[in-house]
C-alpha cells in the first residue's frame, strides 16, 4: 500500500495554474481583512493664459494616477487580506480643499495624497499635524525639502533641485557647459531658474548669459523677430529655458541667434515621468493607465501613483494598516518600491523626498535617465539629485 502524501498549499497553488509570485505571497494573508483608506485632494489655482499651451495639463492629472494605484494595490491585496479604497475630491478653492481635508481627518482617513501648491501644502500640513501621513504629489518647492519639513509629509514629486540637477548632470556629460539661461517672470519660473543656477555651480557649468523674459509681444507672430535679437551675446553651447507656464518657451527652439539646442522646461525637459518610457516594464504601466484614463500618464499622475503604491508595499511588508507603523517603515532602510524606472525607489529619511531617477525627454522621445555614471555618492547615486543630507536642515527621523 502506497503511503498517503499530504499535498502542500504551494503544490495545490501551482497545480491550479496560479502565478508563482501569488503562491509565495499567499501564506502571508491574514484572516482579518486590513481596510486601508486613502484620501486624494486636488486644488491648483488658475495659471492664467499661455500662448503656447496647446496641450494643457489634464484636469484630472493626479487623480487618475491615484485610481490606478488603488487598482494595483487591490490586485495584490486580495490575496493578502487587504482592501484599499479611495475618497477623492477636486476642489475649486484653497478654502474648500482645507475644509475637505478636515472632513477626511474627522472620518479617520490617515493617508492623504495632495496635489496642491506649496502655500496650501504648508497649511494642510499644519492641519494634519500627527493625525495623518500626507503625500505631496504637486509642489516642487525646494524649501519644503530644505528647511520647512514636516515629520508627517512625504514627497513623491521631484523637487526643482532634483530636476535641474538631472539636467545639469546631462549637460556636463555632453560637455555643453556654457549656458544661456532665459527665465520667465512668474514665481515658478524664478524658482526653477534659481534651482538651475545652483545646479550649474554644483556640476561645473558656466552661465555666460542670464536674462529674464519680460516681453508681452505675441510670440505666435513675433518669435522670429524678437528671439534672435534677445539671444545675442557671448558664445554658448545650449539655451536653458525656465518657463513653467509656457508663455514663450516653445518658441525658443529654432529662433535663437546661434544654432543651439534648447533644454529646460521646454525642448528636452527633466520631469518625473514621460509617455515615451517603455523599459523596465514601464510599457505595461503606460498601457494600463491609457486604458483607464484614455490619455497618457503625466508626472503628476506618476507622483500620485507612487504615493499610494508605496503605502501598498509598506502594508504588504509590515502586515499593518497603522499609520505610524507605515510611516516608520517608509522612512526606514528596508523600504524599496519597484516603480518602472530601472532602480528601486526609497524615501530620504531626513526630508521625506522619494529618491528616483529623473527622465530627460523631448515631446516624443526619451533621451536619457539621470543620474549618470561618474557622479558618485557614498550612499546611492540617486542622492546626487536634489539636496543631500548635509545640505538640508530637516531631520524627520531624529
Amino acid at each position: 500500500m502506497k503511503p498517503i502524501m499530504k499535498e502542500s498549499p504551494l503544490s495545490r497553488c501551482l497545480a491550479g495554474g496560479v502565478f508563482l509570485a501569488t503562491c509565495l505571497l499567499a501564506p502571508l494573508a491574514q484572516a482579518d481583512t486590513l481596510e486601508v483608506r486613502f484620501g486624494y485632494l486636488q486644488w491648483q489655482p488658475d495659471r492664467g493664459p499661455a500662448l503656447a499651451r496647446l496641450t494643457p495639463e489634464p484636469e484630472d492629472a493626479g487623480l487618475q494616477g491615484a485610481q490606478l494605484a488603488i487598482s494595483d494595490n487591490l490586485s495584490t491585496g486580495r490575496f493578502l487580506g487587504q482592501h484599499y479604497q479611495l475618497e477623492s475630491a477636486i476642489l475649486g478653492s484653497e478654502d474648500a480643499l482645507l475644509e475637505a481635508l478636515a472632513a477626511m481627518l474627522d472620518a479617520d482617513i490617515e493617508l492623504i495624497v495632495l496635489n496642491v501648491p506649496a502655500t496650501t501644502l504648508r497649511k494642510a500640513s499644519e492641519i494634519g499635524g500627527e493625525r495623518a501621513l500626507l503625500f505631496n504629489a504637486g509642489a516642487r518647492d525646494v524649501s519644503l525639502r530644505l528647511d520647512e519639513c514636516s515629520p508627517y509629509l512625504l514627497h513623491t514629486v521631484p523637487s526643482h533641485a532634483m530636476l535641474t540637477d538631472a539636467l545639469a548632470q546631462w549637460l556636463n556629460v555632453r560637455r555643453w557647459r556654457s549656458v544661456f539661461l532665459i527665465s520667465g517672470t512668474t514665481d515658478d519660473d524664478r524658482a526653477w531658474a534659481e534651482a538651475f543656477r545652483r545646479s550649474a555651480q554644483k556640476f561645473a557649468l558656466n552661465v555666460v548669459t542670464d536674462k529674464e523674459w519680460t516681453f508681452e509681444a505675441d510670440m505666435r507672430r513675433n518669435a522670429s523677430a524678437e528671439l534672435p535679437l534677445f539671444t545675442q551675446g557671448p558664445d554658448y553651447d545650449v539655451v536653458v529655458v525656465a518657463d513653467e507656464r509656457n508663455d514663450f518657451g516653445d518658441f525658443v527652439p529654432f529662433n535663437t541667434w546661434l544654432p543651439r539646442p534648447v533644454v529646460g522646461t521646454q525642448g528636452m525637459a527633466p520631469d518625473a515621468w514621460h509617455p515615451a518610457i517603455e523599459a523596465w516594464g514601464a510599457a505595461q504601466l503606460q498601457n494600463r493607465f491609457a486604458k483607464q484614463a484614455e490619455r497618457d500618464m503625466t508626472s503628476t499622475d506618476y507622483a500620485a501613483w507612487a504615493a499610494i503604491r508605496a503605502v501598498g508595499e509598506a502594508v504588504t511588508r509590515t502586515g499593518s494598516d497603522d499609520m505610524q507603523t507605515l510611516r516608520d517603515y517608509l522612512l526606514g532602510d528596508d523600504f524599496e518600491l519597484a516603480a518602472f524606472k530601472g532602480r528601486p525607489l526609497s524615501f530620504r529619511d531626513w526630508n521625506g523626498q522619494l529618491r528616483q531617477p529623473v527622465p530627460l525627454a523631448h515631446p516624443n522621445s526619451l533621451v536619457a535617465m539621470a543620474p549618470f555614471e561618474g557622479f558618485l555618492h557614498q550612499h546611492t547615486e540617486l542622492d546626487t539629485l536634489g539636496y543631500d543630507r548635509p545640505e538640508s536642515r530637516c531631520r524627520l527621523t531624529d
Side-chain angles (χ1 to χ4, degrees):
M1 181 178 178
K2 293 183 179 180
I4 298 174
M5 302 296 293
K6 186 175 181 180
E7 187 180 26
S8 70
L10 180 59
S11 63
R12 289 197 303 271
C13 197
L14 293 175
V18 181
F19 185 63
L20 178 58
T22 300
C23 296
L24 296 177
L25 288 171
L28 300 176
Q30 301 181 13
D32 297 328
T33 299
L34 292 177
E35 294 288 345
V36 185
R37 302 167 65 202
F38 287 93
Y40 174 87
L41 294 174
Q42 175 178 321
W43 173 70
Q44 289 292 342
D46 184 6
R47 302 178 70 183
L51 297 177
R53 195 187 302 165
L54 300 179
T55 55
E57 180 90 340
E59 292 183 0
D60 59 355
L63 175 58
Q64 290 286 350
Q67 291 173 340
L68 182 65
I70 290 292
S71 177
D72 290 349
N73 284 355
L74 285 169
S75 295
T76 301
R78 67 169 58 98
F79 300 105
L80 302 175
Q82 301 165 5
H83 183 262
Y84 297 87
Q85 57 180 327
L86 179 69
E87 299 289 337
S88 63
I90 298 177
L91 289 311
S93 70
E94 180 182 79
D95 289 343
L97 182 132
L98 296 177
E99 289 177 6
L101 173 62
M104 284 188 174
L105 295 172
D106 290 342
D108 294 327
I109 297 177
E110 299 179 327
L111 303 163
I112 303 174
V113 181
L114 294 167
N115 176 14
V116 298
T119 53
T120 308
L121 188 63
R122 293 184 183 99
K123 296 176 183 178
S125 183
E126 290 179 4
I127 293 172
E130 297 183 1
R131 297 174 62 189
L133 184 59
L134 307 182
F135 293 86
N136 168 27
R140 296 173 174 174
D141 294 52
V142 167
S143 60
L144 295 169
R145 288 86 164 170
L146 186 60
D147 53 16
E148 297 182 27
C149 302
S150 166
Y152 287 85
L153 174 63
L154 306 183
H155 310 274
T156 52
V157 64
S159 67
H160 282 135
M162 291 176 66
L163 301 180
T164 58
D165 279 357
L167 178 60
Q169 279 193 14
W170 184 82
L171 292 173
N172 183 294
V173 168
R174 294 301 304 268
R175 300 185 184 277
W176 296 354
R177 293 172 179 161
S178 296
V179 174
F180 192 122
L181 175 61
I182 309 174
S183 56
T185 58
T186 70
D187 290 342
D188 287 341
D189 297 342
R190 288 170 175 157
W192 201 102
E194 186 57 34
F196 180 80
R197 294 183 189 103
R198 169 191 166 274
S199 298
Q201 185 176 14
K202 180 178 178 180
F203 293 106
L205 307 180
N206 181 24
V207 181
V208 297
T209 303
D210 190 338
K211 286 188 175 182
E212 190 172 85
W213 182 266
T214 59
F215 300 91
E216 295 182 357
D218 187 342
M219 286 295 98
R220 291 170 293 185
R221 298 175 176 82
N222 299 318
S224 61
E226 299 285 353
L227 280 164
L229 295 175
F230 185 81
T231 54
Q232 285 182 340
D235 192 13
Y236 47 89
D237 299 320
V238 62
V239 177
V240 175
V241 177
D243 177 22
E244 291 270 59
R245 197 174 67 174
N246 209 357
D247 286 321
F248 63 90
D250 273 345
F251 299 103
V252 177
F254 307 105
N255 280 313
T256 56
W257 181 257
L258 298 176
R260 298 293 185 263
V262 175
V263 300
T265 54
Q266 282 76 30
M268 188 200 72
D271 216 334
W273 191 250
H274 193 275
I277 300 174
E278 295 180 338
W280 314 294
Q284 188 256 4
L285 176 67
Q286 304 274 28
N287 291 338
R288 287 190 292 109
F289 184 88
K291 182 178 179 180
Q292 170 190 287
E294 299 183 343
R295 61 172 175 81
D296 291 328
M297 178 179 257
T298 69
S299 290
T300 308
D301 289 314
Y302 183 83
W305 176 88
I308 292 177
R309 278 295 300 122
V311 173
E313 180 69 15
V315 171
T316 296
R317 298 300 176 183
T318 63
S320 173
D321 59 354
D322 175 69
M323 182 268 288
Q324 187 65 51
T325 300
L326 297 174
R327 175 196 176 273
D328 293 345
Y329 183 78
L330 289 170
L331 290 171
D333 293 337
D334 294 333
F335 172 75
E336 289 186 345
L337 177 66
F340 307 100
K341 284 190 173 182
R343 306 187 192 196
L345 313 189
S346 60
F347 286 96
R348 292 171 179 156
D349 63 2
W350 61 91
N351 64 3
Q353 173 66 57
L354 184 67
R355 297 181 179 96
Q356 56 188 294
V358 173
L360 298 105
H362 59 76
N364 293 310
S365 179
L366 178 68
V367 176
M369 187 77 79
F372 298 98
E373 185 177 355
F375 297 98
L376 304 179
H377 191 276
Q378 65 271 27
H379 178 62
T380 169
E381 292 176 359
L382 292 174
D383 282 346
T384 63
L385 304 179
Y387 283 91
D388 201 359
R389 181 189 297 272
E391 300 172 293
S392 174
R393 290 178 284 279
C394 298
R395 295 292 182 270
L396 298 193
T397 57
D398 287 355

